Amino acid sequence: MALFRRGKGTDSTPDPAPGPEDEVGANPSGDTELEDVETVEASRSFQPFAGLTDPADVTDHDAYVNLGALWIKGEPGLQLQLEVNEETQQIVGVGALLGQTAIQLNVYAAPRTLGMWPEIRAEIAGKVAEAGGSHELVQGPFGTELRALLPAPGPGGSTVMAPVRFVGIDGPRWFLRASINGLGAVDPDAAPEVDALIASCVVDRGSEPMAPREVLPLTLPAGVEELADEPATADAAAATPAAKSTDDLNPFERGPEITEVR
């Protein structure tokens, strides 16, 4: 059901903001190309997304891969790669390979009453623009998502545009970010399977106080063998997202490039 591999990370822990959980983790970027500051501020007061299952409501625990703060529902052929901070050996994220789609999942502590996603997607949009890419906001199954095209090296020294979907879900005192590369980022027929995987996730926030943007603790499931760093096949290597440094929620690690969908 799930094949585990270990990915390398650098400083994979976002800088936590000082102050209690009712404060915002960082200031908005002020990038008016995508969203002006007033729009970001107005959307911070939020109702937590109700689509993800609460841990207390899970009845079939065997259906999930329990990674501590994040539970992922098992699917046939699903492969998971753990993203590890090499300095602390803390698991800070999970890469899921589903067919020809790679999904990077990261989960963070969040304020009690303020949503983080408007602020974070404005930051990501600014980074996309700085890299020479393009972006747009669309309404998806989880609310507003950011879709981007990022320049990346192609064959023969050419430059191709790599499509990426960025999804953010504000929950009760937690925030889940998904970065989607590959077929699920461009093919409407592949997107429902990817969206269903994200929607089936369970976030176990815990009760301990944590600063906004602090990585929620992830653990290797008991009894699961952790494999070597190398992907099992060349196809998996091409589609599995690179281990990320999430100190600034950096979206710029190269993913699969798609120039045509048939």
Side-chain angles (χ1 to χ4, degrees):
M1 176 174 64
L3 178 66
F4 279 91
R5 303 187 182 280
R6 185 186 185 91
K8 295 179 180 179
T10 53
D11 181 10
S12 299
T13 305
D15 294 332
E21 291 184 351
D22 286 328
E23 296 182 0
V24 177
N27 292 325
S29 69
D31 182 358
T32 56
E33 285 190 23
L34 184 67
E35 293 180 282
D36 59 38
V37 174
E38 291 182 358
T39 301
V40 173
E41 293 286 353
S43 56
R44 281 180 176 169
S45 181
F46 76 110
Q47 292 294 324
F49 180 79
L52 271 64
T53 304
D54 186 89
D57 297 330
V58 175
T59 56
D60 185 7
H61 288 261
D62 292 337
Y64 291 87
V65 180
N66 188 332
L67 298 169
L70 181 64
W71 305 2
I72 300 175
K73 196 167 187 178
E75 299 287 346
L78 176 67
Q79 297 186 31
L80 300 177
Q81 176 171 306
L82 304 178
E83 177 193 347
V84 179
N85 182 318
E86 289 190 297
E87 294 182 1
T88 65
Q89 291 301 299
Q90 178 188 7
I91 301 172
V92 294
V94 183
L97 179 62
L98 188 62
Q100 298 182 54
T101 303
I103 310 156
Q104 185 74 20
L105 298 167
N106 299 88
V107 62
Y108 308 92
R112 294 178 185 274
T113 58
L114 301 176
M116 289 172 53
W117 178 226
E119 176 182 74
I120 289 174
R121 69 173 179 255
E123 295 172 6
I124 294 174
K127 295 179 184 298
V128 169
E130 290 174 5
S134 61
H135 51 262
E136 63 176 342
L137 291 180
V138 300
Q139 288 301 308
F142 306 103
T144 303
E145 63 182 61
L146 188 150
R147 297 186 183 179
L149 291 174
L150 291 171
S158 64
T159 298
V160 298
M161 301 304 288
V164 188
R165 285 178 60 197
F166 294 99
V167 172
I169 301 174
D170 283 304
R173 300 174 62 236
W174 55 258
F175 171 72
L176 174 68
R177 188 196 67 175
S179 305
I180 303 162
N181 296 268
L183 201 61
V186 293
D187 186 352
D189 292 333
E193 184 180 25
V194 174
D195 295 338
L197 175 67
I198 297 172
S200 68
C201 289
V202 175
V203 178
D204 189 355
R205 167 61 178 82
S207 58
E208 66 279 6
M210 299 178 70
R213 297 197 182 208
E214 187 174 350
V215 175
L216 294 183
L218 301 176
T219 58
L220 189 69
V224 173
E225 181 181 0
E226 184 179 357
L227 303 183
D229 292 352
E230 293 79 9
T233 67
D235 289 341
T240 301
K244 299 176 183 291
S245 171
T246 56
D247 55 344
D248 59 351
L249 302 174
N250 187 356
F252 297 110
E253 287 73 20
R254 181 179 175 184
E257 294 88 23
I258 295 179
T259 55
E260 182 178 4
V261 177
R262 297 182 180 274

